[in-house]
């Protein structure tokens, strides 16, 4: 079930904003609705936490030279980016 309230982003829209949100580049007019949605949706909070963990792990691996970002399987990237809404 997707949360949808007027002026609030829904679960599907979280995916489109997540990187800008994490890089603090999301405009205030979009950041506030994003935060409201996160406060109400446990699935999206979990998705955000998993996304952060993945970015951290990928950065650590690429900094070590063990794996190039281009070598990450596309199905893994798709799974990470797929919204996990109830």
């Amino acid at each position: 079930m997707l949360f949808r309230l007027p002026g609030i982003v829904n679960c599907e829209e979280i995916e489109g904003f997540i990187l800008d949100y994490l890089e603090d580049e999301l405009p205030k007019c979009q950041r506030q609705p994003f935060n409201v949605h996160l406060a109400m949706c446990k699935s999206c909070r979990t998705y955000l936490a998993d996304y952060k963990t993945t970015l951290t792990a990928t950065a650590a691996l690429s900094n070590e030279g063990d794996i190039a970002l281009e070598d990450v399987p596309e199905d893994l990237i798709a799974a990470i980016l797929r919204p996990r809404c109830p």
Side-chain angles (χ1 to χ4, degrees):
M1 174 183 191
L2 298 177
F3 285 105
R4 186 63 173 157
L5 297 173
I8 307 297
V9 297
N10 63 32
C11 298
E12 291 174 345
E13 293 168 319
I14 289 290
E15 179 184 344
F17 297 130
I18 199 162
L19 192 55
D20 286 342
Y21 178 82
L22 290 173
E23 293 178 348
D24 203 25
E25 294 180 3
L26 196 61
K28 186 176 181 179
C29 64
Q30 291 176 321
R31 191 172 197 70
Q32 184 175 7
F34 191 99
N35 284 329
V36 169
H37 180 88
L38 286 176
M40 296 185 314
C41 184
K42 182 179 180 181
S43 293
C44 286
R45 287 192 306 272
T46 300
Y47 177 72
L48 178 63
D50 291 347
Y51 193 95
K52 287 179 184 179
T53 300
T54 301
L55 288 177
T56 301
T58 302
L61 288 173
S62 64
N63 286 339
E64 292 179 10
D66 293 343
I67 187 170
L69 193 53
E70 303 85 44
D71 295 335
V72 177
E74 287 191 34
D75 58 337
L76 176 59
I77 294 170
I80 291 166
L81 296 176
R82 187 176 316 118
R84 293 189 302 189
C85 301

